[in-house]
């Protein structure tokens, strides 16, 4: 017998929920049932012939709920404390926020996905290392914050973690906020797509010299041809800082003072950007997944 099997609770089994629950009666107080998500629950009492009070036991146990006797038998009852979303996120207990808020759930699930979905991280490796604070792995805690957050659920706004705290790698209630998509996508241009290898940001080399290119309002724009990389960068720097300033002003009424001040402080350097006095290499900024 393996050490792991010795550590298991006596009620744990490799049987499917359907087979485990076969022959059991939801009327029996103390009877243990298995759910389709691998959790276990015990009958505490009955409200009626069709509804019983249960408590989840074992790992991720503690939650109590009234459930239908038929759902209990079929195993379709779900443990709100079991990490069912990308292995870390769980619904949590009602009473904190509205667990039926679909917009909040979509936002929350997408946030969890960015940090913990293997498939997502394979396709978007720049998100590796991004985490969610323990509090927000509980959807009920996140939705409580969401319901009171400025611009939550507003069309064209996205959840951001680092615009006011450059370098932040964790989603948490202290630094996260909802900002316009145009703001959230501002720094996608700070990437190798607008810079040749080893050259300053926004600069490419061609047969005749150098050219400057900027990502602006979702498009790449040619800024001109130059004899030196320095001249091309200075043109890009001027256009880039002006663009960020203009976008910040366009959305000034939708931004908190801290967010606006961070954007107004923006400086473009050859191989890094500067926000709120923090210097961030272009590739490092991209590695944080700025569009989130």
């Amino acid at each position: 017998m393996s050490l792991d099997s010795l550590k298991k609770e006596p009620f744990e089994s490799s049987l499917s929920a359907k087979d485990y629950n076969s022959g059991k009666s939801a009327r029996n107080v103390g009877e243990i049932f298995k759910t389709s998500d691998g959790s276990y629950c015990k009958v505490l009492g009955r409200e009626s012939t069709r509804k019983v009070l249960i408590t989840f036991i074992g790992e991720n146990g503690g939650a109590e709920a009234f459930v239908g006797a038929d759902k209990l038998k079929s195993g379709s009852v779900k443990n709100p404390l079991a990490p069912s979303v990308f292995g870390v996120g769980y619904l949590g207990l009602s009473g904190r926020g509205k667990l039926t808020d679909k917009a909040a759930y979509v936002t929350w699930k997408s946030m969890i996905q960015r940090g913990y979905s293997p498939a997502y991280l394979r396709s978007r490796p720049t998100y590796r290392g991004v985490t969610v604070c323990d509090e927000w792995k509980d959807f009920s805690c996140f939705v409580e914050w969401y319901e009171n957050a400025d611009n939550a659920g507003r069309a064209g706004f996205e959840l951001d973690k680092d615009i006011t705290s450059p370098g932040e790698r964790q989603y948490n209630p202290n630094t996260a906020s909802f900002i316009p998509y145009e703001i959230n996508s501002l720094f996608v241009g700070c990437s190798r797509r607008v810079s040749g290898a080893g050259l300053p940001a926004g600069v490419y080399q061609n047969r005749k010299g150098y050219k400057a290119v900027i990502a602006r309002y979702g498009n790449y724009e040619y800024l001109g041809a130059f004899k030196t990389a320095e001249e091309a960068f200075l043109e890009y720097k001027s256009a880039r800082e002006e663009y960020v300033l203009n976008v910040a002003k366009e959305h000034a009424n939708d931004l908190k003072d801290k967010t606006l001040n961070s954007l107004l402080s923006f400086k473009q350097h050859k191989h890094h950007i500067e926000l709120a006095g923090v210097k961030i290499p272009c590739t490092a900024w991209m590695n944080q997944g700025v569009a989130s």
Side-chain angles (χ1 to χ4, degrees):
M1 183 177 291
S2 69
L3 183 60
D4 286 341
S5 64
L6 289 173
K7 291 180 180 179
K8 287 184 177 181
E9 297 289 348
F11 52 79
E12 293 184 347
S13 170
S14 60
L15 291 174
S16 67
K18 181 180 179 180
D19 291 338
Y20 185 91
N21 299 337
S22 178
K24 296 185 177 184
S25 173
R27 297 180 180 182
N28 296 336
V29 174
E31 193 79 271
I32 296 176
F33 291 81
K34 188 175 184 178
T35 69
S36 58
D37 63 8
S39 298
Y40 296 85
C41 56
K42 179 187 291 186
V43 177
L44 296 180
R46 287 189 296 162
E47 183 182 64
S48 66
T49 56
R50 295 185 177 182
K51 186 170 288 187
V52 297
L53 175 64
I54 63 168
T55 183
F56 287 92
I57 58 178
E59 187 177 9
N60 305 310
E64 294 185 2
F66 281 101
V67 300
D70 56 339
K71 290 187 175 181
L72 186 60
K73 283 276 292 181
S74 68
S76 59
V77 173
K78 294 186 181 297
N79 182 356
L81 300 183
S84 58
V85 179
F86 300 111
V88 298
Y90 56 96
L91 291 178
L93 303 176
S94 60
R96 288 172 171 163
K98 187 186 294 184
L99 300 187
T100 56
D101 191 323
K102 292 183 179 180
Y105 182 80
V106 169
T107 300
W108 174 76
K109 186 175 181 180
S110 295
M111 173 185 69
I112 298 291
Q113 179 185 39
R114 292 181 195 118
Y116 303 97
S117 165
Y120 187 86
L121 292 173
R122 282 195 297 271
S123 63
R124 301 288 295 276
T126 54
Y127 281 86
R128 294 188 186 280
V130 170
T131 62
V132 175
C133 68
D134 289 342
E135 180 184 355
W136 275 7
K137 291 174 183 175
D138 180 338
F139 174 61
S140 67
C141 289
F142 176 81
V143 75
E144 182 180 28
W145 173 85
Y146 180 95
E147 290 173 345
N148 296 289
D150 292 340
N151 300 312
R154 184 176 173 184
F157 280 69
E158 298 178 335
L159 182 65
D160 173 81
K161 69 184 180 310
D162 49 19
I163 198 74
T164 60
S165 300
E168 181 60 60
R169 301 286 284 161
Q170 182 189 75
Y171 286 97
N172 64 75
N174 296 320
T175 60
S177 62
F178 287 94
I179 63 176
Y181 167 78
E182 290 81 6
I183 297 292
N184 209 17
S185 60
L186 265 180
F187 304 102
V188 172
C190 187
S191 71
R192 292 182 180 179
R193 287 185 298 169
V194 290
S195 178
L199 293 172
V203 178
Y204 278 107
Q205 187 173 16
N206 56 27
R207 294 178 181 178
K208 297 181 179 180
Y210 300 87
K211 62 180 180 179
V213 178
I214 186 173
R216 191 156 48 188
Y217 296 109
N219 298 303
Y220 289 99
E221 300 179 18
Y222 175 70
L223 297 177
F226 304 88
K227 292 182 179 181
T228 67
E230 180 70 18
E231 290 175 320
F233 170 70
L234 290 177
E235 181 66 24
Y236 172 77
K237 172 181 171 66
S238 176
R240 180 77 170 138
E241 291 179 353
E242 180 182 18
Y243 171 54
V244 173
L245 179 63
N246 288 340
V247 173
K249 289 180 177 179
E250 289 169 10
H251 294 279
N253 292 333
D254 297 321
L255 303 174
K256 291 184 177 181
D257 289 346
K258 187 175 182 180
T259 303
L260 181 59
N261 289 335
S262 180
L263 291 169
L264 294 179
S265 72
F266 173 79
K267 296 294 182 185
Q268 178 69 58
H269 299 277
K270 290 182 178 180
H271 301 290
H272 70 271
I273 61 173
E274 186 174 338
L275 275 176
V278 178
K279 296 179 179 179
I280 306 170
C282 289
T283 51
W285 180 267
M286 290 301 294
N287 285 341
Q288 294 169 32
V290 68
S292 62

